[in-house]
Amino acid sequence: MKAFRFSLQPIRVLREQKEHEAQQKYVQALRACEEAAARVRNASAELASCWSLLGEELATGTEATELLRTRAWCNVLELRLKEHASALEEARHNMDAVWRDMMLATRDREAIDHYHDKQRRAYDRDLQRAEQKELDELALRGRQLPSVLRVPQAVRQA
């Protein structure tokens, strides 16, 4: 019997490659999301530090120009935090979209793998039937062989 050959193997390889690419894109999107989250945490910590500094300056009675300068810097940090927060939200949306693409690619690959496995099981069953048929024929020939090899009694007596 011929060796097993899956007729859709090129498509299977393409789907595996597509899934692998989708996984790589998901890893990149996840990394981008984590980096955006780190920027938000850093900006938030910097803003909290600025607010603490402004509170200390108010408590110690610092000059008005210095208070205005510190307050302006807090405003800048607030804007930066908002920008980082919106970038994080965008990164999360991108990560969700890439996740969906990866799930679709995985589903497509699994579908062709399922079909491959089904074809392989059918091939294995056919192979087993063919082998059993050969064994049955050998057994049948083995039963017929002694009668052919049997020497007639007249020949044995002579």
Side-chain angles (χ1 to χ4, degrees):
M1 194 166 186
K2 293 181 184 179
F4 176 72
R5 184 182 174 293
F6 184 52
S7 61
L8 299 178
Q9 186 62 30
I11 294 172
R12 185 178 185 207
V13 170
L14 289 175
R15 288 195 179 171
E16 287 172 350
Q17 289 173 349
K18 184 178 178 183
E19 180 186 26
H20 182 71
E21 289 171 9
Q23 289 170 344
Q24 294 301 319
K25 286 180 182 178
Y26 180 71
V27 167
Q28 292 170 352
L30 184 62
R31 188 174 298 123
C33 194
E34 289 172 351
E35 289 170 358
R39 284 191 294 272
V40 167
R41 283 191 303 273
N42 292 339
S44 180
E46 194 174 1
L47 179 60
S49 173
C50 187
W51 281 115
S52 294
L53 177 62
L54 183 63
E56 289 173 11
E57 288 177 354
L58 284 171
T60 59
T62 307
E63 293 181 16
T65 56
E66 193 61 35
L67 287 173
L68 284 174
R69 191 175 297 134
T70 304
R71 178 68 177 113
W73 182 241
C74 286
N75 288 340
V76 168
L77 292 178
E78 284 176 357
L79 289 174
R80 193 177 292 170
L81 177 61
K82 287 179 184 178
E83 289 172 358
H84 290 314
S86 67
L88 174 60
E89 191 63 27
E90 185 178 326
R92 285 182 177 159
H93 286 298
N94 182 44
M95 186 177 68
D96 290 341
V98 171
W99 172 261
R100 284 189 299 277
D101 291 345
M102 185 180 73
M103 289 294 99
L104 291 174
T106 300
R107 184 199 64 195
D108 291 347
R109 190 233 353 119
E110 287 174 346
I112 199 131
D113 282 351
H114 178 71
Y115 184 66
H116 171 271
D117 294 345
K118 185 178 177 182
Q119 291 290 318
R120 182 63 196 216
R121 285 190 303 271
Y123 171 82
D124 289 343
R125 279 192 308 271
D126 291 345
L127 182 64
Q128 188 176 12
R129 273 191 221 115
E131 288 174 353
Q132 188 61 47
K133 183 178 177 182
E134 287 180 27
L135 289 173
D136 291 346
E137 287 176 11
L138 284 174
L140 239 169
R141 287 183 194 156
R143 288 184 192 153
Q144 293 172 353
L145 191 59
S147 64
V148 172
L149 293 178
R150 212 175 293 145
V151 180
Q153 283 186 353
V155 176
R156 271 192 265 156
Q157 290 176 1

